[in-house]
Amino acid sequence: MTWHATALTLFPEMFPGSLGLSLAGRALREGRWRLDTVQIRDFAVDKHRTVDDTPCGGGAGMVLRPDVVDAACEAALAQGPGRPLVYLTPRGRLLDQALVRELATGPGAVLVCGRYEGLDQRVIEARGMREVSVGDYVLSGGEPAALLMLDACVRLLPGVMGGVDSAEEESFSASEAPLLEYPHYTKPAEWLGRTVPEVLLSGHHAAVARWRREQAEAATRERRPDLWARREPQRIAAAGLASGHAGTTD
């Protein structure tokens, strides 16, 4: 079954965008995944094709109407039922590799690209949308976030990437609490007075693996203490288990 994505948007011309290039674009042309768009404005109920209205309770900006968005969702799901509805919003759950893997192994997704102040909460609840954020910042709309999420998912689809090992070693790919990826080097061995670490030229595979693990751990401790804190209970448990085994005899 082809992995199927649909974007609900006021700007369908933003798709496929960068997804029409490189690995994702080739996979799209090969039919490894499918991308459709639904123009939210097509489901407006007045002659002016209005999709938003002022927020109840007052305040700045406009809010996308629940009836319009609900009709657009119905049309998108009719193209391929059984797919989760994902609303891209700064107030959602942070997108991570675990969620990307979950979505990539499913039938696809319907991505709702918000604009203005966002969606009426009632349609979010009525449709059981999964609210997802791509980071702690605010974009002008959900389309760039949808492109980002789709890129992360598509590259995990069967046959899209050539090197499975490469994907497994990337940042956030570990099944345990993730580590940032180790630094990479290539030829020439010396450039502008900077040299490739000797261990990477040694041919000693165990030493290379150990160095890479140490570098990944150091980068994670320094740059993402939140991720490192998630690893500590695992490290303590592993150390205790190793100690217990060491002191046990049959």
Side-chain angles (χ1 to χ4, degrees):
M1 182 174 61
T2 301
W3 197 82
H4 182 191
T6 303
L8 272 63
T9 173
L10 292 171
F11 298 96
E13 59 272 19
M14 294 181 71
F15 297 87
S18 59
L19 297 174
L21 306 172
S22 189
L23 292 175
R26 183 176 66 191
L28 187 60
R29 292 188 293 273
E30 292 174 348
R32 298 185 185 277
W33 70 293
R34 172 182 167 187
L35 175 61
D36 297 315
T37 58
V38 169
Q39 168 58 271
I40 296 173
R41 199 172 296 279
D42 288 345
F43 300 89
V45 296
D46 66 338
K47 66 179 181 179
H48 301 294
R49 302 182 77 202
T50 305
V51 298
D52 59 346
D53 211 325
T54 55
C56 294
M62 304 289 280
V63 178
L64 288 169
R65 291 171 54 115
D67 52 346
V68 175
V69 173
D70 182 66
C73 289
E74 187 69 24
L77 291 172
Q79 297 176 354
R83 296 174 296 158
L85 279 163
V86 178
Y87 171 39
L88 285 310
T89 169
R91 68 192 294 267
R93 171 224 164 138
L94 189 64
L95 178 67
D96 57 18
Q97 195 66 14
L99 179 55
V100 168
R101 282 195 298 266
E102 177 188 336
L103 292 173
T105 55
V110 176
L111 307 184
V112 183
C113 304
R115 283 274 160 174
Y116 316 124
E117 294 302 305
L119 306 186
D120 187 299
Q121 182 66 25
R122 291 170 294 178
V123 70
I124 297 172
E125 295 173 357
R127 284 288 179 178
M129 294 183 188
R130 301 182 67 172
E131 297 181 76
V132 177
S133 168
V134 298
D136 295 335
Y137 43 83
V138 180
L139 299 170
S140 57
E143 289 81 8
L147 290 168
L148 186 154
M149 173 183 279
L150 289 174
D151 183 271
C153 291
V154 167
R155 62 195 302 278
L156 297 185
L157 300 179
V160 174
M161 288 186 65
V164 176
D165 291 342
S166 177
E168 288 299 319
E169 292 181 0
E170 292 171 332
S171 297
F172 313 113
S173 294
S175 57
E176 57 183 318
L179 289 172
L180 299 183
E181 196 172 8
Y182 51 80
H184 295 279
Y185 297 86
T186 187
K187 299 175 182 177
E190 182 176 343
W191 174 75
L192 296 181
R194 299 171 182 268
T195 59
V196 174
E198 288 187 17
V199 65
L200 299 181
L201 306 175
S202 67
H204 194 305
H205 298 301
V208 169
R210 184 165 55 250
W211 180 88
R212 286 175 169 170
R213 178 77 177 193
E214 291 170 352
Q215 292 293 313
E217 291 182 346
T220 306
R221 280 196 306 267
E222 177 185 350
R223 303 176 186 183
R224 291 293 303 274
D226 58 317
L227 294 180
W228 187 253
R230 287 165 53 186
R231 297 186 62 83
E232 282 304 293
Q234 295 179 359
R235 287 164 55 84
I236 293 171
L241 184 61
S243 175
H245 283 172
T248 301
T249 58
D250 293 331

